[in-house]
Every structure is written in C-alpha cells, then in structure tokens.
Amino acid sequence: MKLRVRTLDLDAAGKTIIIMNELDALDLGLHPLDRASIDDKLTAIINTSSKFVKRGEVIVYEEVKDILRLKNNQKIDIKPIRRFKSKEYIRNKVDGRELGEKEIMEIVKDVVERNLNDLELTAFITSLYIRGVSKTEIKSLVNAMTYTGSTLDIKKDIIADKHSVGGVPGDKTTMILVPIIASSGLTIPKTSSRAITSPAGTADRVEMLTNVELEKEEIERVVEKTNGCMVWGGALDLAPADDLFIQIEHPLHLDPMLMPSILSKKKAVNATHVVIDIPTGMGAKIKTFSEAKKLADDFISIGKDLGMNIECGVTFGDQPIGHTVGAALEAKEALNTIMGNFSHDLVDKAISLAGILLEITGKSGNGKDLALKLLKNKAEKKLREIIEEQGGDPGIKPKDIELGEKRFTLYSEKRGRVMRVSNSQIVTLANTLGCPKDKRAGVEIHKKLGETVKENDPLITLYAEKNYKLEEAEKKLEDMEPIVVIEDLEKHMLTKKISEEEVLFLRT
Amino acid sequence: MKLRVRTLDLDAAGKTIIIMNELDALDLGLHPLDRASIDDKLTAIINTSSKFVKRGEVIVYEEVKDILRLKNNQKIDIKPIRRFKSKEYIRNKVDGRELGEKEIMEIVKDVVERNLNDLELTAFITSLYIRGVSKTEIKSLVNAMTYTGSTLDIKKDIIADKHSVGGVPGDKTTMILVPIIASSGLTIPKTSSRAITSPAGTADRVEMLTNVELEKEEIERVVEKTNGCMVWGGALDLAPADDLFIQIEHPLHLDPMLMPSILSKKKAVNATHVVIDIPTGMGAKIKTFSEAKKLADDFISIGKDLGMNIECGVTFGDQPIGHTVGAALEAKEALNTIMGNFSHDLVDKAISLAGILLEITGKSGNGKDLALKLLKNKAEKKLREIIEEQGGDPGIKPKDIELGEKRFTLYSEKRGRVMRVSNSQIVTLANTLGCPKDKRAGVEIHKKLGETVKENDPLITLYAEKNYKLEEAEKKLEDMEPIVVIEDLEKHMLTKKISEEEVLFLRT
C-alpha cells in the first residue's frame, strides 16, 4: 500500500515507528505493534490513529525519516511483514538448544534490519542469560555482528586495542593509555561509547578536549597521521547489532552478550592485539577474582579462535579510578595526569595495561617500564597531536575545562583513615548532579582508600550545572556515606562484621 | 511537573504512551521509553518530540485519555518513576529462585498498574517458561491476579463454569454447553474472550446472535433471570493482569501462565465447579495424552487448593470441531445444532463436557445422558432466553445469519477417505479470508476424518467479505492440502511413513 509521508519530530529512543490510519492498517491486516516493511528496506512498528492520521497518509518518527531520508509528501510502500525464521531460532534457544552459525547469522541480520521486536529480543537475551552462551555461539555471534556492520580500514599488520568490561566509575584510563601506545609507534584506533546511565563514557570525556564525532574516512586519516585516535564509535556502524542488544540488556541488568559485544567491536576495527581490563571487587561488575579469571580465560581462548591475541588485566575495582567522576572533571584530571600532575592509581592502571599491550605486540620485554617512560616523555605531545587532528585546540590547558559552578563540599567530622569508598553511592550522586547529560557536573573525591583524614578535611565536592540538581544531591548525601572514615580500625572490627573480600592486585 | 494535556487519537495496542517536549523530559531526567507517573495514578511510557510538542504541553495516547478521562488543556502532573521492587523479584525468577506470595503480589500489582515495561514482562514470562512455575507459584499468581481485579457478584452456593485450553479451530462447544447447564437449573455465568489472531473466539461467535458487551450489573441480572449468560469478559476487569500477560505470551508462543490465567478468570466469577477441556492431538496445542494427563492432574490439585472442584475432559483435537470455522459460520452451526440439526462431534463434545459438570455438581449420576436429554428438550429455549435477556432477537433463525458473499468451493479430484484434516492450514485459510476481523468470513468443511469422498464431492468452501481476500486465500490453497483424501489406505501406508500418534478418546 502506497502512503504519503508526513514527518513529525517524534522520538521513541530510536525505535522505528510509523502511525497509519487504522482503516488503512486493517486493510493490510495490521494491528498496532505489528510490523511492516517500508519500501522493502526497513521494518517499522505500527501505531494507528482513527482521525489524526488521514487515510492514505502515514506519520513517520524521526528515526524512520533519518534512516530512509524521507521527505514530506513522498510516497512509501507499506507491506505487512511475514514470519521470520529467526523467531524460530530464538525459540530454539529458549527451549535450551545450542544455536548454530547459520541460525545466529539469521538472528543478528534480523536484529540489524529491525525485524525483531522487543519481546523477541528480550526472550533471546533472557534465554541466553539463563541457558548460557557456549564458546561456539560466542564465536558465531562475533562473526555475525561484525559481518552485519562496517569495518575500519587501516592497513597495518599490528593493530592494538583496549577495552574495559566496565563497572568502575571515574575510569579515564583510555585517555592516558592511547597516547602512550600511539607514541610507541603502535597503531591504536580507539573507538568508545558515550554513557547511557553511567556518569560518563570515554567518548564523553574526550569530547571535553576535542571533537569525537568523526566520519570513517576522517578517522582513517587521523590514525594514519598520529597512530591513534579517540572517537565515538556510535555513528560508525561498527557491529551495529551490539547497540541494539545493549538496549535490551542494559535496562534488565543482564549481560549475556558481554563477550560477543566487546569482541565484535574489536574485530570491526581489525584489532590484532587487545588488552582487556576486568575491574574486579565487591563494588564492581565482576565481584571475585575467580569470576574474573574465568572471564579472562574465555576472552583469551575465544580471541585465539578469532585470530586475536588477547591479554587481560584484572584490576582493583572497589573505588573510583583517580579523584574525579563526570565528563569535564575527568577530562581535566586526565589532562593534568598526562602533564605530570599524577593521579597515582590512574597512572599505575594505565601503564600496567599499556605495558601488557607493549609486551604482547613484542615492543618490549618490560612493558610497564616502557609505558611509564613514554608517559613521562612522549604521551602529552601525542595526546595534543590527536586532539589537533580530531579538530580540537592542541594548546588546551586543564584550567580551560570549565566545571559546574554550583558546588558543595563535604568535610570530615572526625579523624581517621578511609575504610571504604562506595562506587554505587558516588555514581548515584553524580547522576543526581546531572551526569551524564550535564557534562560539567560530577563528583571530586579528595580522599581515597587507606588515606589519612584529619578533622575538617574535605572528603568530596559535588559539582552541578543547575541549583536544583545540587540541592537534590545534597539531600541524598544526608542519607549516604560515600567515603567511610574509621577512627580506630580495631574498635571498628569489633562492632561491625566486615564481609569477606578477596584482595585483588593487578596481574602484572 | 505540571503539563497541559493535548489529546490525539493515537493507539499503540493499548500501551499507555505520552509524548513530552524533549527539554521538559530532560528536566525530569527522563528519556524516551522511560516511565513516569501521571497524577500518581497511572504509569506512562515517555516518547519525546523537539518541536511538535511544545514545552509545557503533553500529548496523550487514547488509552491514557480513556483511563484517566482526560480533556484537552487539563493540567496533569508528571513525575519520574523510581525503582520498583517487582523488578528485583523478576530478576530472582530469572536467576532461578522460586517466588513467594508477596513477591508475586507485588509483580502482579505492578503489571496491572502498568509499572513494568515490555522488557521486564518478557523477561518474567521467558524465565517462568524456562525455569518452570511451581504449584505454590501458580496458587499465588491466581490469588494475586484475582485480587487485583473485579469479581462477579452472584449469590449461589454452586457456580459452574467451563473453559477450554484452546488450540482447536471451530470450537463452538460453549454455545451448546451453557444452555444445557443453565436449563438443568445450575448457574453458569460464562465469560469468554474475543479472538486476537485465531479465526474466532466464543465472544465473537455469540455476538452474531446477541449483544455480548454487558456491564457487570447487567450480567448479574441476566444470570439471576436465566441461570446463565455468554458475554465478553474483556471489559469486566476480571483478573486484568491476565490480558497483559497474554499480550506478551501470545506473540512469543510461550504460555507458562496457562494455568494461572484460566484459574484466575474462574476465581473472579466465584466458580465452584469447573470443567476444563483439554483438546489433544498432534495438530492441537497439547500434543500427547501424557501431556494432557499431567496438565489435568495439576488443574485438579491446584483447583482443590483454591477451593474449586475441577474436572478435566481430554478431547480429540486433531481436526476442527463441527463443520465451520469463522464467527458467523460457527454461530449458524451452533444454532442449527441446538435446533436439532446435529453436528455429531460437536454434540458429543458438548454433552460429554456438560455431563462432567452435571456429575461433579451432584445433578446426575449419568451426566452425559442427562445432558443429551436437556439438549433435545430444553436447551434451545434456554439459549433463546439468554439471547433475549442479553438484548438480542430471541426468534433468530439460522438463515438470518449472513455469510460472506465471496465464495469458493474446492472439490475432490479423487475418491477415497479423509485421512487428515489440517487445523493449521484451515486456520491460515480462515485468517487469510479475513478472520477474526471479518465476522462473515471463514471456512466450511464438508468432509471430516474418516468420511468417504466421491470424485467431485465438495471438500471445503471459503467465505470472504472482500474479493481480494478470497483471491489471496485461493492462491494459498493451491500449495495446501487442508483435507487429505487417500484412495487406498494400505498403499499409502507403504509409500509414506505415518508418524506415531496416540489415539485419544474423551475421558468419560
């Protein structure tokens, strides 16, 4: 059925929705929430209207307009969609059967073409979580997810990459690691994500220093010139299925696709050597060393199957990395650090992970030492080159990065030592202050685990762009204890049982 | 945040959607697909718009307007929704833990208040399916689903009811059974559903004879007067969670809630004695007798826990019931049957199931005999009473029921016997012809299993309201064999292996 387009600036989180007159829909046998193909190119979800949308007319949401580049009054052809085989394959997984390569390719293809709805996708994700994902399935998923997207075209024998499984706030390690690796002569085309609900993603942080939204060709040029880049992967169409899976996984707090997600993004940039950071600790995503070890072993063995040399670093994840959480605060801290004003845990983490990359690529027998040397001598220059090539000001100074002007500092009411820094409370505060939307909002942490605290020492400072957000965060802070100071550790041990925690050290 | 309502006749299958200006949404920390409460009464899903919806304004979908009886320019208060405990409880089920009574009550309450989105509901349904639903969980689900809805208020010690787990087309048994039971003096307030994707539901069939959309008080009056009714349960708010679960189960072809769904509807009419029909066969929902037996045992034992006397009838489900599929065709067949122009398998099924009810309520020692007597002597009169009290014409004749005028009959090209009648192909044909939307569309089956066929005997007739639907069905029919006629059974046995099937008989 040919219908006349009426564009309307409606957004449902990127869902491809069209609104038809209900009689037109019925003529096609379509009901609200059924799916239809548009010009045989895109699958859309149907909403209906009895009057607002006239017969012969169709309203398209933003996403549909953008994907198909539609204009008002243009005619589009709407056809009901018949059954997809991938629905049956998902059912196989629900029923506990391992999926083969072809079944997975079909499912991923239909995900990318938007042929599967939220119910089907959720049933798939939930069953992957409950039934487990086998190594063969992971390999097929990675291949399918890479195949159904674009790839970065960089002609080098060795392409290095880094990824964190995430879950620890304030992790600006990438901003230190990429310049170190690029200054060693290795190629590292780093793509990153923006935050959805976490306080900041690497792309959000880097954006405070330079442009991160580059076209594929521009990225290839930047990497050709500087050996590295730090860009937003979102618009590049690298393993696009990943983002669609994450839209389901994220709100449900289920992540059976963790490994395929990460590996498909790496394969899409043709990475040959990858270091994966696994932050571990009771306050992190991965709780125990044995869990981290299992994940690391899987990464390494599946990486081998996929022709990637992968090494993992299990890092301490029980407090934020460095002293800041929030895009602008973190960009400032990273810039300060690379200029020699070190945040020690951040530096240690960055050179440890960079060291692994330098070793597995054969650049050095003692990677961590080399990484520290590069950080001291070459990384700042390299960072500024990358900033410039991506379109930013290479002379940027930390003080140029503005922070939210509404501020509140919490001071310690007692002396003692920091016994605990709560990742989750700091994330809640940062989000209440406006992160990730308000780039200049965030939390500064003055004292970290084990540090000595005197009475009236500042513990944390809250930054917000808007007064009411600062007020809301202050109110929440009253019921929180993001930084726990203990006067007398032994006395404390007697009055409060501390849950058993494995002590975790970085592997190298 | 107070916003000014703008109503717009948009429908997304009953989802409660509102469209806010994206800046207003961001001020509340809301993104598309997040949820918000309206006046603390209803949870809505957020879509956003940058221009079409002005700041300070909110567009509400039909469902929201209807539930809250909103008018244009009225102010409503939108608040972001915080976490619901039920999300954690669903996660418990995903992780394989049995749910307690309070957890289930919380989940069902949040389902009815629309606090859970499709992702969460699908994760719940999928995990119930994979992990299984325990008897304790079923009991809690039934209680919670009944508690969160209305109940029918009929003051009788014995209230009879009937239900079919479904899956066999043409099943108009209820239209014969209800008049039989009501004419015996027992009370049977029967509520039924409309078809969603099947060719016809009981409510659709009865609607061809009389009005089925009655208010609660009208139903109570009809039952008071005639001992029975046959109405649409949809608008009565009986166990409303059921419909919301079915919206997820149906498209995924998963039905872990089968038992709680049925039993909560029965409990909501205060049924004391229930017969449950379990159509069984390779072409039905339940495939084998052992599956049917297990389901029957569960119904009986959980019914006991809930204070309901339940008996099950395992019926032959491998071909349609009677000779017609489609609302008008079936209503006509039911009316003919009750007037003495018997469709024999339909009569046998109806009196067998009615017989079970007459026995468990203590009305008769040989229920089937009594049921046949009542069918011959009293049922027609009772049916006409019910038709009249529900607002229809008590003098209605079979020929008053119009059928689709676009018709096509398929004739047999050979002589022999009917070896198979395909439920699924007949359903596909009926739906292609326009069912369930086109009430006068459908399929008439001239020859059933085991019947002798001569060359050029009619096999099936297709009825449609619209020419193009008839044409489409005829085209599909070319690749189908809904009625398989075998010339020489033994020869056939030699050339084609017949899959093992258990022979099934009605229990009584």
Side-chain angles (χ1 to χ4, degrees):
Chain A
M1 179 182 286
K2 295 263 181 195
L3 295 176
R4 203 178 56 256
V5 167
R6 188 166 134 207
T7 61
L8 206 57
D9 59 336
L10 300 176
D11 179 8
K15 295 219 169 301
T16 52
I17 297 177
I18 62 177
I19 315 178
M20 295 174 66
N21 179 279
E22 65 180 6
L23 296 176
D24 284 342
L26 277 177
D27 275 349
L28 290 176
L30 290 168
H31 300 90
L33 300 196
D34 280 348
R35 279 156 297 159
S37 81
I38 306 179
D39 291 346
D40 293 320
K41 283 184 200 139
L42 182 75
T43 300
I45 301 162
I46 307 294
N47 286 359
T48 63
S49 158
S50 54
K51 272 183 270 160
F52 176 64
V53 182
K54 308 269 174 301
R55 292 205 75 163
E57 182 182 71
V58 58
I59 286 181
V60 302
Y61 268 52
E62 287 277 302
E63 187 79 1
V64 176
K65 189 187 81 178
D66 292 347
I67 294 178
L68 297 176
R69 295 162 197 273
L70 298 178
K71 295 206 173 60
N72 268 318
N73 295 318
Q74 187 175 337
K75 291 267 182 176
I76 55 176
D77 191 28
I78 310 288
K79 284 185 205 151
I81 294 248
R82 305 296 168 205
R83 273 186 77 73
F84 295 101
K85 273 181 290 175
S86 57
K87 283 184 69 167
E88 289 162 40
Y89 301 156
I90 288 174
R91 179 54 183 262
N92 286 343
K93 188 71 200 177
V94 169
D95 282 332
R97 285 187 285 278
E98 191 183 24
L99 295 177
E101 210 176 320
K102 279 184 194 161
E103 291 172 309
I104 285 179
M105 181 60 83
E106 195 72 25
I107 292 171
V108 171
K109 207 173 58 61
D110 279 340
V111 168
V112 173
E113 289 172 10
R114 315 290 183 104
N115 293 334
L116 294 169
N117 65 19
D118 281 355
L119 273 58
E120 290 144 3
L121 276 171
T122 306
F124 184 55
I125 294 294
T126 308
S127 62
L128 285 177
Y129 175 82
I130 297 179
R131 301 289 190 185
V133 191
S134 74
K135 281 193 192 174
T136 323
E137 288 175 326
I138 293 178
K139 213 180 123 182
S140 305
L141 280 164
V142 172
N143 284 329
M145 289 163 74
T146 313
Y147 180 80
T148 49
S150 309
T151 50
L152 220 52
D153 191 25
I154 291 165
K155 279 162 200 65
K156 290 279 179 185
D157 291 338
I158 295 182
I159 294 178
D161 208 343
K162 177 259 182 189
H163 193 89
S164 169
V165 303
V168 53
D171 198 353
K172 66 243 6 140
T173 307
T174 296
M175 297 174 76
I176 313 294
L177 179 141
V178 168
I180 292 176
I181 295 300
S183 69
S184 80
L186 288 170
T187 302
I188 183 162
K190 184 78 188 89
T191 65
S192 303
S193 52
R194 292 187 188 281
I196 307 171
T197 56
S198 70
T202 293
D204 302 312
R205 296 172 187 121
V206 177
E207 198 171 32
M208 306 313 294
L209 305 179
T210 186
N211 178 28
V212 296
E213 298 197 6
L214 277 71
E215 303 280 331
K216 217 163 88 64
E217 293 68 27
E218 293 179 272
I219 292 172
E220 286 158 5
R221 186 191 55 77
V222 172
V223 174
E224 176 72 28
K225 188 137 184 189
T226 69
N227 291 337
C229 69
M230 290 189 280
V231 298
W232 179 50
L236 296 175
D237 199 40
L238 307 174
D242 180 41
D243 300 313
L244 299 164
F245 286 129
I246 286 176
Q247 281 177 17
I248 305 292
E249 292 184 298
H250 199 95
L252 293 172
H253 302 284
L254 297 176
D255 57 358
M257 298 284 286
L258 177 70
M259 199 128 26
S261 284
I262 294 173
L263 294 177
S264 61
K265 294 283 190 203
K266 302 298 120 179
K267 213 170 140 62
V269 300
N270 285 308
T272 57
H273 294 73
V274 182
V275 61
I276 291 177
D277 173 24
I278 308 181
T280 305
M282 292 313 286
K285 195 189 274 179
I286 307 295
K287 307 290 179 202
T288 65
F289 185 75
S290 59
E291 244 182 281
K293 176 77 171 63
K294 200 193 153 305
L295 191 59
D297 288 345
D298 285 350
F299 268 124
I300 291 164
S301 97
I302 293 162
K304 198 173 285 172
D305 285 350
L306 293 163
M308 272 188 264
N309 189 336
I310 295 181
E311 188 74 34
C312 298
V314 177
T315 58
F316 185 75
D318 245 352
Q319 67 175 345
I321 307 301
H323 290 85
T324 57
V325 171
L329 279 155
E330 293 190 51
K332 192 169 186 151
E333 182 178 22
L335 188 55
N336 264 319
T337 300
I338 217 161
M339 290 171 76
N341 198 352
F342 282 12
S343 275
H344 292 281
D345 62 336
L346 170 61
V347 166
D348 191 60
K349 181 166 180 173
I351 62 174
S352 298
L353 295 173
I356 291 174
L357 272 180
L358 294 170
E359 288 176 11
I360 61 175
T361 52
K363 269 277 161 187
S364 166
N366 187 334
K368 192 166 174 181
D369 277 3
L370 175 57
L372 183 58
K373 249 177 251 161
L374 292 167
L375 173 58
K376 286 184 172 161
N377 304 322
K378 295 177 147 188
E380 183 186 347
K381 185 164 166 270
K382 180 58 71 177
L383 175 65
R384 294 189 184 281
E385 271 177 42
I386 294 173
I387 288 174
E388 181 166 21
E389 291 304 322
Q390 291 189 195
D393 168 16
I396 188 169
K397 295 184 197 73
K399 71 173 172 51
D400 299 335
I401 303 168
E402 282 172 39
L403 303 177
E405 294 198 339
K406 320 292 176 191
R407 300 179 190 180
F408 171 82
T409 297
L410 176 75
Y411 296 90
S412 181
E413 292 172 358
K414 55 189 171 187
R415 51 171 295 286
R417 263 177 193 279
V418 176
M419 165 79 184
R420 179 183 285 273
V421 181
S422 165
N423 282 342
S424 64
Q425 293 193 5
I426 285 171
V427 166
T428 301
L429 286 172
N431 287 345
T432 308
L433 289 161
C435 298
K437 188 199 149 217
D438 298 352
K439 305 287 179 199
R440 302 179 192 288
V443 178
E444 187 175 356
I445 301 148
H446 301 289
K447 297 286 180 181
K448 298 194 63 187
L449 268 178
E451 283 189 54
T452 308
V453 176
K454 294 196 296 289
E455 219 179 299
N456 293 323
D457 270 356
L459 292 177
I460 59 172
T461 300
L462 310 181
Y463 294 79
E465 295 179 9
K466 293 189 176 171
N467 241 325
Y468 76 92
K469 293 188 182 180
L470 182 66
E471 279 163 26
E472 206 189 326
E474 280 183 62
K475 223 170 98 189
K476 280 199 180 156
L477 188 54
E478 285 170 20
D479 301 321
M480 282 183 174
E481 203 174 357
I483 296 183
V484 180
V485 177
I486 299 297
E487 282 171 87
D488 183 337
L489 198 62
E490 275 178 37
K491 197 169 139 205
H492 179 78
M493 300 284 279
L494 291 172
T495 55
K496 195 173 169 186
K497 215 168 164 191
I498 294 168
S499 68
E500 191 186 335
E501 285 180 28
E502 297 186 56
V503 179
L504 297 160
F505 297 101
L506 193 74
R507 251 201 192 189
T508 48
Chain B
M1 178 183 287
K2 294 264 183 196
L3 295 176
R4 201 176 60 255
V5 168
R6 186 166 135 209
T7 61
L8 206 57
D9 60 336
L10 301 177
D11 179 9
K15 296 221 167 300
T16 52
I17 297 177
I18 62 177
I19 315 178
M20 295 174 67
N21 178 279
E22 64 179 6
L23 295 176
D24 284 343
L26 277 177
D27 276 350
L28 290 176
L30 289 170
H31 301 89
L33 300 195
D34 281 348
R35 279 157 296 160
S37 80
I38 306 178
D39 292 344
D40 292 321
K41 280 182 203 143
L42 183 75
T43 300
I45 301 162
I46 307 295
N47 286 358
T48 62
S49 158
S50 53
K51 275 183 268 162
F52 176 64
V53 183
K54 307 269 174 300
R55 293 204 74 161
E57 184 182 71
V58 60
I59 286 182
V60 302
Y61 268 52
E62 286 278 301
E63 187 79 2
V64 175
K65 188 188 82 179
D66 291 348
I67 294 178
L68 297 177
R69 295 163 197 274
L70 297 177
K71 293 208 173 61
N72 267 318
N73 295 317
Q74 186 176 339
K75 293 266 183 178
I76 56 177
D77 190 27
I78 311 289
K79 284 185 206 155
I81 293 247
R82 305 295 167 203
R83 274 187 78 72
F84 294 101
K85 273 183 289 175
S86 57
K87 283 185 67 166
E88 289 162 39
Y89 302 155
I90 288 174
R91 178 56 182 259
N92 287 343
K93 189 69 200 178
V94 170
D95 283 332
R97 287 186 283 279
E98 190 183 24
L99 296 176
E101 209 176 322
K102 280 185 192 161
E103 290 173 310
I104 284 179
M105 181 60 85
E106 193 74 24
I107 292 170
V108 171
K109 207 172 59 59
D110 279 340
V111 167
V112 173
E113 290 173 9
R114 314 292 181 104
N115 292 334
L116 294 169
N117 65 20
D118 280 355
L119 273 58
E120 290 144 4
L121 277 171
T122 306
F124 184 54
I125 293 295
T126 308
S127 62
L128 285 177
Y129 175 81
I130 298 180
R131 302 289 190 187
V133 191
S134 73
K135 282 194 190 172
T136 323
E137 288 175 326
I138 293 177
K139 213 181 125 184
S140 303
L141 280 164
V142 172
N143 284 329
M145 288 162 74
T146 314
Y147 179 80
T148 49
S150 308
T151 49
L152 221 52
D153 192 25
I154 291 165
K155 280 163 201 64
K156 290 281 179 185
D157 291 337
I158 295 182
I159 295 179
D161 208 343
K162 177 258 179 188
H163 193 89
S164 168
V165 304
V168 55
D171 198 353
K172 64 242 9 135
T173 307
T174 296
M175 296 175 76
I176 314 293
L177 179 141
V178 167
I180 292 176
I181 295 299
S183 68
S184 80
L186 287 170
T187 302
I188 183 163
K190 183 76 186 91
T191 65
S192 302
S193 52
R194 292 188 188 282
I196 307 171
T197 56
S198 70
T202 293
D204 302 313
R205 298 173 185 120
V206 177
E207 198 171 32
M208 305 312 297
L209 305 180
T210 186
N211 179 26
V212 295
E213 298 196 6
L214 278 70
E215 304 279 330
K216 215 163 89 62
E217 293 67 28
E218 294 179 89
I219 293 172
E220 286 159 6
R221 187 191 54 74
V222 172
V223 174
E224 176 72 29
K225 188 138 184 189
T226 70
N227 291 339
C229 69
M230 290 188 281
V231 297
W232 179 50
L236 297 174
D237 200 40
L238 307 173
D242 180 40
D243 300 315
L244 299 164
F245 285 129
I246 286 175
Q247 280 177 17
I248 305 294
E249 292 185 300
H250 199 96
L252 292 173
H253 302 283
L254 297 176
D255 58 356
M257 298 283 286
L258 177 69
M259 198 126 29
S261 283
I262 295 173
L263 294 177
S264 61
K265 294 282 190 203
K266 302 297 119 179
K267 213 170 141 64
V269 300
N270 284 309
T272 58
H273 295 73
V274 182
V275 61
I276 291 177
D277 173 24
I278 307 181
T280 305
M282 293 312 287
K285 196 189 273 180
I286 308 293
K287 308 289 178 204
T288 65
F289 185 76
S290 59
E291 244 182 281
K293 176 77 170 64
K294 200 194 153 302
L295 191 60
D297 288 344
D298 285 351
F299 267 123
I300 291 164
S301 98
I302 292 162
K304 197 172 286 172
D305 285 349
L306 293 163
M308 273 187 263
N309 189 336
I310 295 180
E311 189 74 34
C312 298
V314 177
T315 59
F316 184 76
D318 245 351
Q319 67 175 344
I321 308 301
H323 291 87
T324 56
V325 172
L329 279 155
E330 294 190 52
K332 190 167 188 152
E333 181 178 21
L335 187 55
N336 264 320
T337 300
I338 217 162
M339 291 171 74
N341 198 353
F342 283 12
S343 274
H344 292 279
D345 62 335
L346 170 61
V347 165
D348 191 60
K349 180 165 180 173
I351 61 175
S352 296
L353 295 172
I356 291 175
L357 272 181
L358 294 169
E359 288 176 12
I360 60 174
T361 52
K363 269 277 162 190
S364 165
N366 188 336
K368 194 168 172 178
D369 278 2
L370 174 57
L372 182 58
K373 247 177 252 159
L374 292 166
L375 174 59
K376 286 184 173 162
N377 304 323
K378 295 180 148 186
E380 184 187 346
K381 183 161 169 272
K382 179 56 73 180
L383 175 66
R384 294 190 184 282
E385 271 177 41
I386 293 173
I387 288 173
E388 180 164 23
E389 291 303 322
Q390 291 189 191
D393 167 16
I396 187 169
K397 294 184 197 72
K399 72 169 172 55
D400 299 335
I401 302 169
E402 282 173 39
L403 303 178
E405 295 198 339
K406 320 292 176 192
R407 299 179 191 182
F408 171 81
T409 297
L410 177 75
Y411 297 90
S412 183
E413 293 173 357
K414 54 189 173 189
R415 51 172 296 284
R417 264 177 193 278
V418 176
M419 164 80 185
R420 178 183 287 272
V421 181
S422 165
N423 282 343
S424 63
Q425 292 191 5
I426 286 171
V427 167
T428 302
L429 287 172
N431 287 345
T432 308
L433 289 161
C435 298
K437 189 201 148 214
D438 298 351
K439 306 286 179 201
R440 303 182 192 287
V443 178
E444 187 175 355
I445 301 148
H446 300 288
K447 296 287 179 181
K448 298 193 64 188
L449 268 178
E451 282 188 55
T452 308
V453 176
K454 294 195 297 288
E455 220 179 298
N456 293 323
D457 270 357
L459 293 177
I460 60 173
T461 300
L462 310 181
Y463 294 78
E465 296 180 9
K466 295 193 174 166
N467 242 326
Y468 76 92
K469 293 186 183 182
L470 181 67
E471 280 164 24
E472 206 189 327
E474 282 183 63
K475 222 169 100 187
K476 278 196 182 160
L477 188 54
E478 286 172 18
D479 301 321
M480 283 182 172
E481 203 173 357
I483 296 183
V484 180
V485 177
I486 299 297
E487 285 173 84
D488 183 338
L489 199 62
E490 275 179 35
K491 195 171 141 205
H492 180 77
M493 301 284 279
L494 290 172
T495 56
K496 196 172 169 188
K497 215 167 164 192
I498 293 168
S499 68
E500 190 185 336
E501 284 181 28
E502 296 186 56
V503 180
L504 297 159
F505 297 101
L506 195 73
R507 248 200 196 192
T508 45

